[in-house]
Structures are given as C-alpha cells and as structure tokens.
Amino acid sequence: MASNSSLVIILSLVVVFGVMVPRAEARPRAFFVFGDSLVDSGNNNYLLTTARADSPPYGIDHPTHKPTGRFSNGFNIPDLISQKLGAESPLPYLSPELTGEKLLIGANFASAGVGILNDTGAQFLNVIRMYKQVEYFKRYQNRMSSLVGASKTKSLVNHALVLISAGGNDFVNNYYLIPNSTRSQQYPLPQYVKLLISEYQKLLQKLYDLGARRVLVTGTGPMGCAPAELAQRNRKGTGELQLAAALFNPQLEQILLQLNNKIGTQVFIAANTARMHNNFVSNPTSFGFKTSKVACCGQGPYNGLGLCTPFSNLCPDRNLNAFWDAFHPTEKANRLIVEEIMSGSKTYMNPMNLSTILALDATT
C-alpha cells in the first residue's frame, strides 16, 4: 500500500500533467443508416412484408450462423463500416433491444424494398418508406434527448456518420418492374431520373436539417449485371438498366457537390458504388471470385429466379461468388466495397474517402 506522501506525489502529477491515470477510451462516433436492402440490418423482420431475409440460408456465414434480416450470407456494408469505426453495428430502429446505452451507438432505419419514391416497392406491402425513415430519425432524437438531454443529442448527431443507399429499387422495382409500368408511361427515362434526383435532394436536405453533417451517399450498383436481371431480361433489357445507372449516378454526384457548395462545407460524400461493383463484376477472377454472374443462392438461370430459400441451390464456398442472391453481394464483395469507401481515390469517393474524413474530424 502506498504511503500518504507517495499518494500526494501521484495526485500532484495527475493534476499537473493530466495524463498519469489511464482514461476510458472515447466512445466511437454514432452511426445512422438509411435506405434499402443493401443496408437493412433487420427492420423488415418486424414488419408484415414479403421483402425479408429472416430464414436460412441467409446469415450462414454470420458469427451467429443464423439469419439476421440482412440480405447477405454474413455481414453487410454498415456492419463492415462499423468495424472500421471500432464500434458495434447500430441496431435496427424497430428492434426492441434499441434502448438505453444502445441508442448511443446510433440506429439503422433502412428497410428492404424501398426507394426514393413512395410508390416504389408497393408490391412488398409494409416497408419503411424513406419519408418514414426520416420521421423515425426525428423520433430517435426525441428518445435520445430524454436520455441525455437536447444538447448532448445535438452533438451526438452532428458528430455522427450517416450512410444512405437508395435509388436502385426505383428502377428495378418500379420503372422497369413490368413492361409499360405506370412510371414508364408517365416519364421518358431522362425525365424520370431528374424526378428521382429532385426527390433525393429533398431527402438529403431533410437529413441535414435534422443535424447530419457527414453523409455517405451511395449510387446504384450495376443493376443490369445482377443475376436476377440476367435471368429475366434479354440483352436489351439489361442494357436499359445499365443506361439508367449511367444517367442517375453522375447526376447524383453533381447534386451532392451543389448541396455542399450551398452549405459551404463537405457534408455529402458521393460513394461511386457502381464503379466499385463493376471492378469485380467485369473482372471477377482478379478479385478471387469464380463468377460474378451466378448467385450463390437461388434457382433457375444464373440462380437468379425467385427467392433464396432453404430449398434453393447453395454454393459451398461463398467467397467464390460476387453475388449472394439474385440482387445482393456476398460478404466478400461487401468487404471490397467498404475498402474502397475507406481508402478509394476521388474516382470512387468524391470529394474524399472515409479514412480522410475520420482523420479530419479527429482534429476538430
């Protein structure tokens, strides 16, 4: 046991230098997720919807080896970003476990099947549409305010990282869902893309108004290359989807730059996930994949028809397939995408990658 004089010396050193006693590490920044099935971590488990991933073999490579509601064999993009942040994955907003200390981690509001437009994904019945996800973000902040106070809640949200993924379903599950769809009769493709960009801009402005200050915004993937589209469409049909992505993604990037210029700081970061995907879709063997056309789980041509179920074909090694099911990447493909999000050049992450963001924010 230290003598009284020794204790006085130790306490004096602590007062003078402030570094002699180890302190608890700072909590990682909160993380909020909005969007569709590419980033849903299980909200649809709590909804009466056909857009769900709560049965095997989903989750076969997750640490639990059980379906979690993620449209993946294992981790999805938000999980892998959370790992880079040194944080737990934010829970689905609808999870009854999202209480108390768990709220400080953030929340995932994403819901499989949704799009930018409210009528997208109507065939899936009950999903959390984008306007509702934003409303839930408000409710989250009210819950946090009652827990830690309004000032700390504002600081937590302002310093948080936000990820949003939307747009793909507005083409696949709306404009091109059926021949002569309502939306395709209303708008030629270029005008439809302008409508989507305009509505997306409103959503992003709402996130900013609610306190979001670092927002990663993904574009659509290479939609025409998904196994579902290869199985169901001819070359002309897949080409139309590729054209849609080619029109949408650059315009999205431009509107993000315009928003940043208007705000006067780099709030919105464009993540060119189409280009990230295209790297391994066009040259799978260079990334250790055997195929980027055939889904691991499914049936029919390219395993691209219907749902991934316990009765579907299932590949024995998920690391050899770029696609897990008819639409969604495998965990390995998600890891490649997150590596580009973390350290990709301006070609992939404009105006900067996530590592640069974290380094900048660490100094403020």
Side-chain angles (χ1 to χ4, degrees), residues 222 225 274-293 319-323 332-333 336 348:
C225 299
R275 188 163 287 171
M276 296 176 194
H277 275 94
N278 194 57
N279 285 346
F280 55 78
V281 166
S282 60
N283 194 5
T285 55
S286 294
F287 295 87
F289 295 117
K290 184 177 179 181
T291 176
S292 60
K293 292 184 176 180
N319 287 327
L320 297 180
N321 291 62
F323 283 93
K332 178 180 175 179
L336 292 171
Y348 299 97

Side-chain angles (χ1 to χ4, degrees), residues 94-165:
L94 298 182
S95 169
E97 296 177 24
L98 187 63
T99 59
E101 289 276 314
K102 294 290 186 183
L103 285 164
L104 297 172
I105 297 168
N108 187 318
F109 303 95
S111 178
V114 304
I116 298 165
L117 303 180
N118 287 337
D119 58 302
T120 293
Q123 69 272 28
F124 300 123
L125 305 177
N126 190 17
V127 292
I128 312 172
R129 309 206 179 281
M130 291 304 301
Y131 78 90
K132 193 69 173 180
Q133 292 184 31
V134 173
E135 185 179 311
Y136 281 162
F137 190 33
K138 293 181 190 175
R139 292 189 195 178
Y140 164 90
Q141 294 188 39
N142 290 336
R143 290 171 66 185
M144 277 297 300
S145 292
S146 64
L147 185 69
V148 301
S151 178
K152 287 185 179 178
T153 297
K154 183 177 185 295
S155 178
L156 179 142
V157 171
N158 287 166
H159 290 90
L161 181 69
V162 176
L163 172 69
I164 183 167
S165 166

Side-chain angles (χ1 to χ4, degrees), residues 169-201:
N169 283 326
D170 293 287
F171 296 106
V172 173
N173 285 308
N174 193 333
Y175 195 85
Y176 290 114
L177 178 63
I178 56 173
N180 302 312
S181 68
T182 301
R183 287 296 190 182
S184 67
Q185 293 300 298
Q186 287 178 320
Y187 299 98
L189 180 60
Q191 279 63 50
Y192 183 68
V193 169
K194 286 183 179 179
L195 171 68
L196 294 180
I197 295 295
S198 174
E199 292 301 309
Y200 208 171
Q201 183 176 3

Side-chain angles (χ1 to χ4, degrees), residues 214 216 269-270 338-346 348-360:
R214 288 296 194 192
L216 305 179
I269 312 298
V338 170
E339 286 304 318
E340 292 292 354
I341 288 173
M342 289 301 301
S343 57
S345 67
K346 201 170 179 180
Y348 299 97
M349 296 294 295
N350 190 11
M352 60 187 135
N353 59 42
L354 184 51
S355 294
T356 303
I357 292 170
L358 297 177
L360 284 173

